[in-house]
Amino acid sequence: MYERALFAVWLLTLVLFQSAESCELRPVLAQVPKRLPAGYVISEGTEALTLKGCAAKPVAFTSSDPNFTVNTDGTIIAVRGLVITTKRFSVLVQDESGLDRRVDIILSYKNEASQKSSSVAHKRIKRRWRPLPFSVTENASPPFPKDLEMISSDSSVNYTVHYEISGQGVTTDPVGLFILVKETGMLRVTKAVDREQYPQFNFIARVYDQSGREVDAFLPITVIVDDVNDNAPEITGGRFFSVEERCRAGTPIGQVNATDKDLANTTHTLIKFTLLNATDMFSIEPFTGKLTAKTNTLDREAQDKVYVNIEVRDMGGNPTGLFNRGTIVIALTDVNDNPPTFKETLYKANVKENQENVLVTRIPVEDKDLVNSPNWKALFEVTKGNESGQFRMETDPKTNEGLLYVIKGLDFEKTPVVKLEITARNAVPLVGNDNTWLSVPLELSVGDEDEGPEFNPVIQYIKVKENVPNGTIIGTYKALDPETKNSNGIKYYKVTDPGNWITVVESTGELKTANTIDRESPLVHQDKYNITIRAVDESKKVGKGMVILLIEDENDNMPVIPGTDLVICSKGDALSSVLVEAVDPDKPPFSTPFNFEFGAESDGKWKLKDKTGNSVVLEQAVPLPSGLYSVPLLVKDLQGSGKEQIVNVRVCSCNREENGVGICGARSASTSFGSSGILALVLSSLLLLLICLLLLFICTTKRDKLYINDDTGTSGMLLKSNTEAPGEEVKDGALMIIPGTDAMDGSLQNGTMVSKNLNSAPGNMGQQFFQGSGVYNTTTQDFGTDKYYTSGRYDNNLYGNRGFQKFSNTSALDTWNTNGRYLERKLAYFGGEEEGRYADDVLKTYGNEGVGSVAGSVGCCSNLGEPESLDFLNTLSPKFRPLADVCYTTNKN
């Protein structure tokens, strides 16, 4: 028995030992192409990664190198293309119990040259560096430094070597984190490392002999920092959410997000969300953070915002995990789940009768929904008692009260109290099957007022025949006092009567005819004629009513042919026709059908056919030549009332027909022109002849040019125009009076210059143009082949191609103009004289001719010496010659 127990213990120890032995995780060695493509499978179902021989099963794989990934079955795959010499990384395997295991992966490229021929012996390549890779746990506790791994090169067999390292963590930040024992190759770490700051380190190891020669290729070293759970998760992103009140249970609200700085895809970052309050209102999915409504009874009116505390814990919510807490806000948005409610169970109001468009009362309501939202705004309606449309309801936008208006006056005598029902609604539909719109009764008391008389009915219809004799009583239209219900003291007056056909008896309201009632009058519409009557009681209150006369027709009109000028298109030997229509303003049976007959003077050239109710076809009985024909027709109505009428029918050749009516063609001039046309042609010919004679006379008659100067010699003094004879100004000695009548002859009649045409003197005086009053203008004068230009001041008249004008020898203005004519001739003479010119082409200042001038001053203010004689014109030289040269320019073109 003892031996069996001892054997069992030995067997159990062996099994456990073998189990422990088989669960040992060895590095994964794999040969790959030197150029490793993306998607390349490094190894499939690696036993070390699948924890073969271990009691636990793997649940997650994490590669330390982002260039590689591991499937759930332990297959290692390259994520992107790489060039491989020697590649080392590790895979972190997490089992079901949460335990993390690390498996080293070592890749080397295949020596393809050694595999080209099967005859070549496969030679085992010896590792040059060992062991690899390295790892260090973050936040390791002292003491430091700590030994990590031994670096060893195969060259140490042949040489005495020492090792050196450089790169990140050695010679670059963080400098001095790793140190190396040069002689032994032991790698050490000098202080704690934070993985969240430095997840891994990459540096280079080199080996040298005693002479300092590098005896082996450098070795890239990667030190992976193993993660420990040293960071608690934190809530990130927005913390404000909203959801409608009364929403269905399970309605999504939002997503709560949290992050953990520890290594991703490990239990260190497996976060669990937990609500710490409001668990009866909301729920959250533990590992996604999706927030949903838990009930359908969320009520904004009870609580419009809910503050929810949330805990986020890593390690999948394990009590040993690290955690943080935060608060989120969930706002409940409003829906219309509360109808407007009335503050009273019965409302009362008062209004005077006959008042219109007045506010009667205000009806306040309460609504728990969001103020100023469509869910809160109330809409009011009179649901009972407003069948006649006498009321309207509005809403005060500020107070949300209902406003009741009377739009049609109420009648106290008919309804002293009006009972209404008011219903309040919202602008949007109501939510919830248990909610309905509410109503409230309202009693409106109508106040009595003294009213004017009222016609009953307001519109009265009276039948009357047209053409009834004047003074005939056709009816009575009375009004009653609403209070006394009688007509005592009421007087009646007409307001409107377009044709003045009716008179109203003031005291009784009787209606009498005042003029002939005519149904065919344009004042009658559809046999109706309107009269407005006003009733006035003793208190001067007024009431209005309307009387509509229904006028009955009488046979007081005969049929008439409106168009008595007709056209028949001649069609050779064919017999043509035309339609004759008649009208009668009367109504049947006093009008159509009409009877058409020929009159007594008919000549037998025509016949009637195709009679209708109001028309007949007039056709030629024999072919007729073109011309105008008179056809007597007798037209009678259904009662035999009618008269004979003459229809003028023109037979002609038609150019066209429009709507069945012929249009005659052009006729000869002898028939087209009347006496007026011939007279117009004669007058036009005579007028044309007169115009031709006038033009001929103008072209053959030539007059001297008129020269008029506004300078009257009075030094700017205006002459009086109302003097009957020359004034004292005319006798001024400064004016020159030129005697003689051979060249000039004139007379003054009624203060106006009278001029006569004379034959032009030898030479052409040219054309004179004057621009505006009192400005200097230029005159062109031709003498022989020379052209002269002179400037002078003239009035605002334009003269051209005109002859000499003779001026009165008694008028100062005429005398001055005559002197101007002589002066102009003298200037022309000196301007044409070639020899003895005193100022060739040189303009001189008027006020100063220069030192030594024999002429002296030629100022414009010099006074004339002998006004009664023209001898001075012959003694002007040499004083006058410079002035002539200045004023005239010879143009020898």
Side-chain angles (χ1 to χ4, degrees), residues 272-466:
K272 182 178 181 180
F273 298 85
T274 305
L275 296 183
L276 302 180
N277 67 319
T279 55
D280 58 332
M281 304 170 66
F282 309 102
S283 61
I284 191 169
E285 293 186 7
F287 295 100
T288 63
K290 291 182 179 179
L291 193 64
T292 57
K294 193 175 182 179
T295 178
N296 59 357
T297 60
L298 297 177
D299 188 2
R300 187 202 67 87
E301 288 70 38
Q303 185 178 7
D304 60 345
K305 291 181 181 178
V306 183
Y307 296 87
V308 182
N309 297 323
I310 297 180
E311 179 186 272
V312 288
R313 187 183 292 266
D314 61 15
M315 298 299 291
N318 192 297
T320 61
L322 303 179
F323 68 92
N324 263 321
R325 291 175 180 173
T327 301
I328 65 171
V329 180
I330 302 176
L332 302 181
T333 59
D334 187 44
V335 298
N336 192 23
D337 58 340
N338 294 281
T341 59
F342 297 97
K343 296 182 178 181
E344 304 290 340
T345 58
L346 174 65
Y347 289 91
K348 294 184 179 181
N350 301 298
V351 66
K352 292 288 186 180
E353 66 174 333
N354 302 320
Q355 288 186 336
E356 296 181 353
N357 296 316
V358 295
L359 176 62
V360 175
T361 187
R362 288 175 170 265
I363 304 174
V365 293
E366 292 181 348
D367 197 316
K368 296 180 180 179
D369 292 321
L370 185 62
V371 176
N372 294 326
S373 70
N375 303 328
W376 173 82
K377 184 178 180 180
L379 302 177
F380 297 88
E381 182 184 1
V382 181
T383 50
K384 290 183 181 180
N386 194 30
E387 288 76 12
S388 58
Q390 295 176 296
F391 304 94
R392 93 168 178 273
M393 297 261 345
E394 293 182 1
T395 303
D396 189 323
K398 295 182 178 180
T399 63
N400 210 30
E401 294 176 315
L403 308 178
L404 177 64
Y405 288 89
V406 173
I407 58 177
K408 294 181 181 179
L410 301 176
D411 190 351
F412 170 80
E413 287 73 25
K414 293 181 179 179
T415 52
V417 177
V418 180
K419 294 184 178 181
L420 304 176
E421 181 184 78
I422 309 299
T423 301
R425 296 180 172 85
N426 291 126
V428 296
L430 201 58
V431 175
N433 297 328
D434 55 339
N435 292 326
T436 57
W437 304 121
L438 303 179
S439 301
V440 67
L442 184 145
E443 290 184 358
L444 182 60
S445 299
V446 182
D448 186 23
E449 284 191 345
D450 184 16
E451 302 171 284
E454 296 180 354
F455 287 99
N456 190 13
V458 178
I459 299 177
Q460 180 169 319
Y461 294 87
I462 298 177
K463 290 184 178 181
V464 61
K465 287 184 176 293
E466 64 175 333

Side-chain angles (χ1 to χ4, degrees), residues 111 118 409 589 603 646 699 830 848 880:
N111 190 351
S118 58
D603 54 6
I646 301 299
C699 294
F830 281 105
N848 183 11
F880 192 77

